[in-house]
Amino acid sequence: MQPHTAMNTEKAQRSGYPSAYISGLLTKPEIRRCIEAAPFIFRDFFGECIITAVYGWASNLPHINLCYVPMDVGIASLDTFIRDSLHQEIVRPGDSDFSLAAPDNRLEIVFCHEGHIHAGGEDSLLRRLASTPPFTCLHRANHDMKPSEIADTKT
């Protein structure tokens, strides 16, 4: 894993990705492990609920009209939805954008095509997420520092 930098945080802010927490550059298998763990994290954090999933940039969709369309997925079906999306290569870890959000955006996770994970939402949930494997790769972003001032943020 490469370090998180202020440049990553700047890109996240410009792209509209959540930017409270961000990972360094991850390998495709590392991103895949996080995507596969997401249903269990959301179930543990929120219980029965509806999660909003969005296929984003570079998703391998059979119908382009499905790109950037929020889809409601029940927590009981989220694991199957994600496994199918990975199996069909609609979601390609590290090559396409895929996001998941809890009700009221209390927790939002974006798996980005550039090899990072971005997270936003309630601070207590973000701290909990960042302390839960495999999401321990997430670190609080420091929005006040210039890119040249940050080599590695691990707070």
Side-chain angles (χ1 to χ4, degrees):
M1 176 178 74
Q2 292 183 0
H4 160 79
T5 65
M7 188 65 70
N8 298 340
T9 301
E10 272 183 37
K11 282 182 174 180
Q13 290 170 324
R14 284 194 313 268
S15 69
Y17 296 160
S19 60
Y21 279 66
I22 189 168
S23 73
L25 186 61
L26 303 173
T27 66
K28 292 175 184 185
E30 288 172 321
I31 295 171
R32 185 181 187 101
R33 276 192 295 280
C34 289
I35 293 171
E36 291 172 337
F40 307 101
I41 299 290
F42 279 99
R43 185 177 298 117
D44 183 43
F45 286 21
F46 300 102
E48 291 300 317
C49 67
I50 301 294
I51 300 299
T52 302
V54 178
Y55 297 128
W57 192 87
S59 294
N60 187 27
L61 292 162
H63 304 286
I64 192 65
N65 291 339
L66 295 175
C67 196
Y68 301 108
V69 175
M71 297 171 283
D72 291 342
V73 182
I75 197 73
S77 303
L78 188 59
D79 184 44
T80 301
F81 175 83
I82 288 175
R83 274 190 281 118
D84 289 349
S85 295
L86 289 166
H87 177 74
Q88 295 171 35
E89 296 184 353
I90 295 169
V91 172
R92 295 171 298 135
D95 290 327
S96 64
D97 288 353
F98 179 59
S99 67
L100 299 168
D104 301 318
N105 287 325
R106 292 179 57 209
L107 179 64
E108 181 182 9
I109 305 170
V110 176
F111 305 94
C112 141
H113 68 278
E114 292 182 337
H116 303 96
I117 298 173
H118 307 264
E122 295 177 10
D123 195 54
S124 62
L125 292 171
L126 289 166
R127 285 193 312 271
R128 186 173 168 197
L129 177 67
S131 67
T132 305
F135 288 94
T136 53
C137 59
L138 290 170
H139 304 283
R140 180 183 299 277
N142 187 336
H143 302 288
D144 298 326
M145 297 179 85
K146 297 175 188 163
S148 60
E149 296 175 316
I150 299 178
D152 191 318
T153 302
K154 293 191 177 192
T155 59

